[in-house]
Amino acid sequence: MIIKQLSVFLENKTGRINDVVHALGANGINMHAFSMAETTDFGILRLIVSDVDKAVEVLRAKDFAVMSTDVVCLACDNVPGSLAVVLEYLAEEQIFIEYMYAFAQADQAHVVIKPNDMEHCLKVLEAHHCRVLGKDEL
């Protein structure tokens, strides 16, 4: 299942991440997962949130540049080598991973990936009985 991820573009300035998370929290929006990447001049905060539409509205009202992107979130056992198996399935089918990030909860790891070919990626994961998570399972 495809889920929506938000990308928030932030200037490299003290307190900007705090401004984002405060705005989301003040509006009852939960962050399920996030990743921060930076360059010299700006950063990209990638978020999986409880209410995408409301988060976009709230952040744009605060003058943040926000973009929504389709991603896949899969669950795998939180043991050594389990992610390697899944990534091998994708590599064998020439699916390029543009970026990914993960978080673990007890015996499960949740991995968010942005593949170059979303539909093919989902078919490969399904064919190998990989557990792809929906928005309500995060």
Side-chain angles (χ1 to χ4, degrees):
M1 175 172 278
I2 296 171
I3 61 173
K4 294 289 184 186
Q5 167 197 271
L6 297 182
S7 296
V8 183
F9 299 89
L10 302 171
E11 57 200 326
N12 283 348
K13 185 171 119 179
T14 302
R16 290 306 281 164
I17 298 170
N18 199 24
D19 294 339
V20 170
V21 299
H22 181 21
L24 294 174
N27 286 277
I29 301 164
N30 193 26
M31 297 186 336
H32 297 302
F34 66 90
S35 171
M36 182 74 195
E38 66 158 304
T39 67
T40 306
D41 299 322
F42 67 93
I44 301 173
L45 179 62
R46 293 184 171 110
L47 303 157
I48 306 295
V49 297
S50 58
D51 188 334
V52 173
D53 295 333
K54 186 175 179 182
V56 169
E57 179 183 319
V58 164
L59 294 174
R60 287 187 177 157
K62 298 278 187 185
D63 295 322
F64 287 103
V66 182
M67 184 175 81
S68 177
T69 307
D70 290 341
V71 293
V72 173
C73 185
L74 61 103
C76 58
D77 293 334
N78 189 17
V79 297
S82 64
L83 180 59
V85 171
V86 175
L87 294 179
E88 185 63 28
Y89 296 148
L90 299 176
E92 286 172 356
E93 294 291 327
Q94 303 301 308
I95 296 170
F96 175 73
I97 305 297
E98 295 177 20
Y99 58 82
M100 69 182 204
Y101 50 98
F103 58 100
Q105 296 177 322
D107 61 344
Q108 287 286 296
H110 296 180
V111 183
V112 177
I113 60 174
K114 172 68 170 99
N116 66 328
D117 185 336
M118 187 69 65
E119 294 306 318
H120 189 203
C121 176
L122 289 170
K123 287 178 184 173
V124 170
L125 293 172
E126 181 181 306
H128 290 283
H129 307 288
C130 297
R131 186 167 162 236
V132 177
L133 302 176
K135 176 186 166 199
D136 297 332
E137 297 176 277
L138 298 176

